[in-house]
Amino acid sequence: MSEQGERLQKVLARAGFGSRRACEEVIAAGRVAINGRIAELGQRVDPTEDVVEIDGLPVDLRTDLVYLALHKPVGVVTTARDTHGRSTVLELVPSEPRVFPVGRLDRDTSGLLFLTNDGAFAERVSHPRFEVPKVYVAEIRGRVSPSQRKALEAGVELEDGTARAQKVRVRAASAGRTVIELTVREGRNRLVRRLMDTLGLGVLSLKRTAIGNVGLERLRPGHHRSLTRAEVIDLLRSGNA
């Protein structure tokens, strides 16, 4: 056991993993590892050198990491700077510490967007190979036929390969419009709009309502909140390893 650093339960509590007592219980249950070995109560850890895992997932114990959930409005671009003078998502969050968007939402799409200064988190949530589920609600001009819905779930051939929605649910329908909810596990650019265009479905509006188990809930357009530590861990567990 290393004599350097601070006691593990203190470091975990300071990083937002719960009270010190709760962190002691997680350690006692054998759920925490340091440098690949199961941790012990009272063990010391150096957050800048040691690799700490909870339930097999690496966790960063730095206290300067930021994880934000933003409700991006329509008309705002997902970039740090826009050469055309349009509003960007960085104008809607604090300037310090500096964060960057996790993935993208196009200018005409609203909804949930994460911003962070944790590159490993961004990679885990946005890279296509991890298949973290993302839920979109689309308002479509006219009706969506059973064959179109089936095609969305079975797979549609796009110019960069076949893509599909894991789940499609009709939320409302009338003669003039249909509201559908789609769950996708890919991160390709403008994927949902491209699926709709290929099937001849005119999109009136598109909103991303959830990423993993984190939803928009009551977050208003243009507003943001910090993700909880539990939400960050849950997102790291989402999708495929």
Side-chain angles (χ1 to χ4, degrees):
M1 185 183 300
S2 173
E3 297 298 326
Q4 304 299 317
E6 301 177 82
R7 293 188 183 277
L8 178 59
Q9 53 265 41
K10 179 180 178 181
V11 174
L12 290 176
R14 187 177 63 222
F17 288 93
S19 66
R20 193 173 301 186
R21 175 60 179 167
C23 292
E24 289 175 353
E25 292 175 353
V26 172
I27 297 168
R31 296 170 55 193
V32 183
I34 301 175
N35 301 325
R37 304 186 65 168
I38 299 299
E40 302 174 6
L41 277 174
Q43 187 168 352
R44 293 180 179 275
V45 62
D46 183 346
T48 65
E49 297 290 340
D50 294 318
V51 177
V52 178
E53 297 174 314
I54 297 180
D55 296 333
L57 292 169
V59 296
D60 200 319
L61 301 179
R62 291 162 49 197
T63 57
D64 62 334
L65 295 177
V66 176
Y67 308 89
L68 302 178
L70 170 71
H71 187 162
K72 187 192 90 67
V74 170
V76 177
V77 295
T78 308
T79 185
R81 185 178 302 168
D82 184 67
T83 56
H84 301 289
R86 297 172 297 186
S87 297
T88 74
V89 292
L90 293 190
E91 297 172 22
L92 301 176
V93 298
S95 58
E96 295 293 338
R98 189 168 180 79
V99 294
F100 55 87
V102 178
R104 300 180 67 86
L105 285 177
D106 65 65
R107 184 170 180 263
D108 296 325
T109 300
S110 64
L112 184 61
L113 180 74
F114 296 147
L115 298 100
T116 187
N117 55 0
D118 183 346
F121 171 83
E123 169 82 1
R124 187 64 176 77
V125 173
S126 63
H127 198 285
R129 75 175 181 272
F130 295 116
E131 298 186 346
V132 174
K134 300 171 180 66
V135 181
Y136 292 81
V137 173
E139 184 178 358
I140 306 299
R141 184 181 294 107
R143 289 189 176 275
V144 178
S145 70
S147 62
Q148 288 170 321
R149 178 177 173 180
K150 183 178 180 180
L152 286 169
E153 294 180 332
V156 177
E157 192 64 35
L158 303 177
E159 65 272 15
D160 54 354
T162 303
R164 71 180 189 92
Q166 181 187 26
K167 182 179 179 182
V168 179
R169 181 170 69 94
V170 176
R171 294 179 50 168
S174 65
R177 71 183 186 101
T178 303
V179 178
I180 60 173
E181 180 181 275
L182 306 92
T183 301
V184 299
R185 286 183 173 269
E186 299 187 52
R188 285 189 252 177
N189 188 39
R190 296 176 62 88
L191 177 63
V192 174
R193 290 186 182 275
R194 290 163 60 203
L195 285 170
M196 301 299 181
D197 289 344
T198 301
L199 294 175
L201 297 170
V203 177
L204 299 174
S205 66
L206 182 64
K207 176 188 289 187
R208 184 159 67 194
T209 58
I211 302 172
N213 288 330
V214 178
L216 276 177
E217 299 175 348
R218 297 182 180 180
L219 195 61
R220 292 179 294 167
H223 288 244
H224 70 276
R225 68 172 179 86
S226 296
L227 293 175
T228 67
R229 177 60 70 171
E231 287 174 326
V232 172
I233 293 174
D234 191 63
L235 285 162
L236 292 172
R237 290 173 176 158
S238 297
N240 297 325

